[in-house]
């Protein structure tokens, strides 16, 4: 059985691209069946076109209520027989009924060593705190913000004297390598 993967993203999509490239290179053994994007202007949509990955785009405002939004996403995943969801820069908390229906099958990528530095400013927060290291976490989601069982972590030392942009760039490089590898290990457990 080929695992059907959906990626959720809201912005640039460099991690979407690294996943799509890993699928193309057969390093990640899934069918990349869908990109869901909640931001109609996001650059990730162009990346999906480049990789010929089907896209779906709508916002909570398009659906009237937040519940309606989550239900419409869930209906779309079921219609596409999606087995696993990878969040890659998706800037929303996944809620009911999607969260329950896909319990244990939604994975998130976070640019810090959770539980340290949750939230959207994780890299800057670690940098500004003067931490000696930060890193990358891949975890199953739960109802919280950047909480849920951790699958894998990689540390990234913060070099004294480096700037925030340099640190961001090094963390993204680790993400691009790590996320497809960890997703491959996760699909082994789904089969
Ligand atoms: C990544 O740093 C990811 O860890 C975080 O959002 C960023 C998304 O970057 N959740 P991109 O859109 O994949 O380039």
């Amino acid at each position: 059985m080929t695992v059907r993967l959906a990626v959720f993203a809201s912005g640039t999509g460099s991690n979407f691209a690294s996943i799509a490239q890993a699928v193309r290179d057969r390093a990640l053994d899934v069918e990349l069946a869908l990109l869901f994007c909640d931001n109609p202007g996001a650059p990730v949509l162009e990346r999906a076109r480049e990789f010929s990955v089907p896209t779906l785009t709508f916002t909570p405002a398009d659906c009237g209520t937040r519940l309606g939004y989550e239900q419409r996403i869930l209906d779309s995943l079921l219609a596409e027989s999606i087995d696993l969801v990878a969040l890659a820069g998706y800037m929303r908390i996944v809620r009911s009924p999607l969260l329950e229906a896909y319990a244990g099958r939604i994975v998130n990528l976070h640019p810090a060593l959770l539980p340290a530095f949750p939230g959207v400013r994780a890299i800057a927060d670690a940098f500004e705190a003067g931490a000696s290291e930060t890193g990358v976490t891949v975890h199953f989601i739960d109802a919280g913000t950047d909480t849920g069982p951790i699958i894998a972590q990689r540390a990234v030392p913060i070099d004294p004297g480096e700037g925030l942009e340099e640190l961001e760039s090094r963390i993204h490089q680790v993400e691009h390598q790590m996320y497809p590898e960890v997703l491959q290990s996760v699909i082994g457990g789904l089969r």
Side-chain angles (χ1 to χ4, degrees):
M1 172 200 110
T2 304
V3 169
R4 289 175 63 78
L5 175 72
V7 174
F8 288 15
S10 305
T12 311
S14 67
N15 283 284
F16 168 81
S18 79
I19 291 168
Q21 189 62 49
V23 173
R24 187 176 274 179
D25 295 343
R26 296 172 193 252
L28 176 55
D29 183 19
V30 299
E31 174 103 14
L32 183 45
L34 183 68
L35 170 73
F36 172 68
C37 181
D38 62 329
N39 173 6
V44 68
L45 290 164
E46 180 55 32
R47 294 188 188 241
R49 275 188 284 279
E50 286 163 13
F51 281 97
S52 304
V53 174
T55 63
L56 179 67
T57 307
F58 54 83
T59 68
D62 295 333
C63 304
T65 63
R66 189 59 201 259
L67 183 65
Y69 172 73
E70 302 292 340
Q71 184 67 53
R72 185 166 163 196
I73 298 173
L74 174 55
D75 291 346
S76 307
L77 298 187
L78 295 175
E80 288 294 328
S81 303
I82 299 298
D83 301 300
L84 181 69
V85 174
L87 307 183
Y90 179 63
M91 302 304 286
R92 295 181 194 276
I93 301 294
V94 175
R95 295 195 189 148
S96 174
L98 175 57
L99 182 61
E100 287 77 6
Y102 274 83
R105 291 189 293 154
I106 306 180
V107 176
N108 184 41
L109 173 70
H110 184 77
L113 293 177
L114 292 173
F117 306 113
V120 295
R121 291 189 78 254
I123 303 175
D125 285 347
F127 183 80
E128 287 164 15
S132 60
E133 67 168 14
T134 182
V136 176
T137 301
V138 179
H139 64 100
F140 291 108
I141 66 159
D142 63 13
T145 300
D146 300 322
T147 54
I150 290 172
I151 304 166
Q153 293 188 303
R154 282 188 200 164
V156 175
I158 301 179
D159 298 335
E162 84 177 319
L164 177 58
E165 275 183 26
E166 216 175 313
L167 176 63
E168 283 171 344
S169 159
R170 291 196 303 114
I171 286 184
H172 292 316
Q173 280 171 30
V174 172
E175 289 184 322
H176 297 159
Q177 191 187 358
M178 177 181 182
Y179 206 15
E181 289 176 8
V182 176
L183 289 171
Q184 180 63 35
S185 75
V186 169
I187 64 164
L190 289 178
R191 285 182 170 136

